[in-house]
Amino acid sequence: MVEYLFKTLVIGDIGVGKTSLIKRYVHHVFGSTYKPTIGVDFALKVINWDSETIIRLQLWDIAGQERFGTMTRVYYRDAVAAFIVFVLDINRNTTFEGVRKWKDDLDSKVMLADGSKIPCFLLANKIDMLEESEIDAKKAQLDDFVAEKEFAGWFPTSAKENKNIDRAASELIRTIIDNEKRLSPPTIDDDVIDIRSNKPKQNEKSCC
């Protein structure tokens, strides 16, 4: 059995529903009122990914208040993936301004072992407040924005109605695992000499 511990960030402006999403995903509950997060909060989700793999997903709920921005470098350290959460507002052209700020901040302060950006998914939250047609009207704009800012993908979500949260988390974990395999050191096989061992390979003959 293999166990992984993955630190994942959940970031975004105040009031977008970060804590509600985490509580729905981890504890399967939803409340209409939550106090604003002060600094950072934590939650742990244990997932039986397959018959041989256990994932411990550590979710860091980062406060959305601007005054905590100077601390994000500390909070981001060792993270391997992130969600950026926002509320899709069809009546405002400034919907993505907060998202841009968080994505730029994230990309400038944390990276993977090979120097690449950590995978980040965009969550358009509180879609229960919108009609399906209103969400559809924004899909093309969202697709373009996600491509422009190099997100790994985006999902329309609702903590209240439990929409697409498990799906988004599963896609994030799958991406993390792919990166783990890509960045892990090569394994030793029959074609690689293990310099840690003095024992000759079976097909080698000792000589004088």
Side-chain angles (χ1 to χ4, degrees), residues 67-96:
R67 64 180 178 272
F68 293 110
T70 56
M71 289 296 294
T72 54
R73 186 179 297 277
V74 176
Y75 298 148
Y76 291 174
R77 186 176 298 152
D78 299 324
V80 294
F83 287 124
I84 295 181
V85 186
F86 80 113
V87 177
L88 186 61
D89 188 341
I90 64 169
N91 298 313
R92 293 176 56 202
N93 293 324
T94 57
T95 296
F96 299 128

Side-chain angles (χ1 to χ4, degrees), residues 8-144:
T8 300
L9 307 173
V10 184
I11 57 181
D13 288 343
I14 186 172
V16 296
K18 300 184 297 295
T19 302
S20 295
L21 285 170
I22 292 171
K23 286 184 178 293
R24 171 65 84 176
Y25 178 58
V26 175
H27 303 295
H28 310 290
V29 297
F30 175 79
S32 57
T33 58
Y34 286 116
K35 294 181 179 179
T37 301
I38 304 300
V40 62
D41 201 358
F42 310 90
L44 182 68
K45 174 81 169 182
V46 180
I47 305 117
N48 293 315
W49 185 250
D50 56 35
S51 60
E52 299 179 349
T53 310
I54 294 176
I55 304 294
R56 298 183 183 276
L57 192 66
Q58 190 181 63
L59 298 161
W60 285 50
D61 183 2
I62 311 296
Q65 292 94 328
E66 184 67 30
R67 64 180 178 272
F68 293 110
T70 56
M71 289 296 294
T72 54
R73 186 179 297 277
V74 176
Y75 298 148
Y76 291 174
R77 186 176 298 152
D78 299 324
V80 294
F83 287 124
I84 295 181
V85 186
F86 80 113
V87 177
L88 186 61
D89 188 341
I90 64 169
N91 298 313
R92 293 176 56 202
N93 293 324
T94 57
T95 296
F96 299 128
E97 286 185 3
V99 177
R100 289 181 188 274
K101 180 200 71 174
W102 285 104
K103 186 63 162 63
D104 290 343
D105 189 56
L106 181 72
D107 290 345
S108 68
K109 292 177 180 175
V110 64
M111 62 187 63
L112 298 177
D114 64 349
S116 61
K117 299 174 182 178
I118 68 170
C120 181
F121 287 85
L122 181 63
L123 303 184
N125 197 33
K126 301 188 181 182
I127 60 167
D128 51 275
M129 300 190 300
L130 299 175
E131 298 292 336
E132 191 68 33
S133 60
E134 294 175 320
I135 300 171
D136 290 339
K138 282 286 186 178
K139 281 185 177 179
Q141 185 182 5
L142 276 161
D143 289 340
D144 291 343

